[in-house]
Amino acid sequence: MITTWEPTATGVLRLPSGRLVRGRGLRRPLPDGPEPAFALYLLGHEPPPVPWESRWLRWPDFRLPSDRSAAADAFREAWTRTETERVEIACGGGYGRTGTALACLAVLDGVPAAEAVAYVREHYAERAVETPWQRRFVTRFR
């Protein structure tokens, strides 16, 4: 059974293939609606437990992932799961790290790496991908 987000739900990014993924900031309350089936949390510290399956990627605020290989694996897992599950990607504010990860998912979905940040800013949040090194990380992501 396919369980995806409503395309009009708050913070939901529609990738070019039609796959949906929700981005959000953990400092804000959980949005109304269904819970994720899987979440990828991008934080400098381990997140509190949640009732759904989740994966933590160590990623300090305004920086890059501590382990880039683990980040690539986590992004591929999240992108694969968007085909049949509600996937959420979240960091503290929901813009820098979350936007960077969403841009990497867009690359996996076929958006050219040089255009992925603009795609996420247009379809998710204008403030997505906050630092020059986060933008560079996306353009080099494969």
Side-chain angles (χ1 to χ4, degrees):
M1 181 172 142
I2 296 177
T3 56
T4 61
W5 301 108
E6 291 295 320
T8 57
T10 303
V12 173
L13 171 68
R14 179 185 293 277
L15 296 167
S17 66
R19 294 174 187 222
L20 303 171
V21 59
R22 181 172 76 186
R24 79 175 179 105
L26 294 171
R27 289 192 292 265
R28 291 187 295 276
L30 187 66
D32 290 335
E35 294 177 342
F38 173 76
L40 177 58
Y41 295 121
L42 315 170
L43 299 166
H45 56 83
E46 191 168 358
V50 291
W52 47 84
E53 188 179 352
S54 66
R55 183 171 175 177
W56 168 49
L57 184 63
R58 184 182 300 277
W59 191 336
D61 201 8
F62 297 106
R63 305 280 176 117
L64 294 175
S66 298
D67 182 336
R68 293 177 191 201
S69 177
D73 289 344
F75 300 158
R76 285 183 181 86
E77 178 183 3
W79 179 79
T80 299
R81 294 176 81 143
T82 61
E83 188 171 12
T84 59
E85 298 176 62
R86 284 186 301 274
V87 173
E88 169 178 271
I89 296 181
C91 64
Y95 297 107
R97 294 167 285 181
T98 295
T100 302
L102 291 173
C104 290
L105 264 64
V107 171
L108 292 172
D109 204 61
V111 175
E115 299 171 19
V117 171
Y119 183 88
V120 170
R121 286 178 174 170
E122 179 181 347
H123 299 284
Y124 170 67
E126 289 180 11
R127 294 175 44 202
V129 191
E130 295 176 310
T131 68
W133 41 92
Q134 289 172 342
R135 287 191 297 276
R136 189 170 42 251
F137 180 83
V138 173
T139 60
R140 295 177 179 170
F141 181 75
R142 301 284 177 255

